[in-house]
Amino acid sequence: MQFVHLGPTLDGSVHFHELAHILFDQAVLTEGGLPVDPAAYVKRVNALLS
């Protein structure tokens, strides 16, 4: 299998940290729970969409 480089990596960056939080909160929501800080979740998603 060969991997294609799609751009700069996000590992260790602020963007990676924010995306990881969004992904975790999405998983919590999928399981029927609520994020620890719902306002921060909405802020992160809005920042991602803008």
Side-chain angles (χ1 to χ4, degrees):
M1 177 186 287
Q2 189 175 26
F3 293 99
V4 177
H5 180 62
L6 297 176
T9 63
L10 296 175
D11 189 23
S13 72
V14 174
H15 297 291
F16 181 83
H17 182 73
E18 294 298 312
L19 290 172
H21 269 285
I22 290 171
L23 183 61
F24 179 78
D25 288 340
Q26 284 287 319
V28 170
L29 288 167
T30 300
E31 292 293 320
L34 290 173
V36 173
D37 186 353
Y41 168 71
V42 171
K43 184 177 179 180
R44 286 185 184 104
V45 171
N46 284 337
L48 179 66
L49 296 175
S50 62

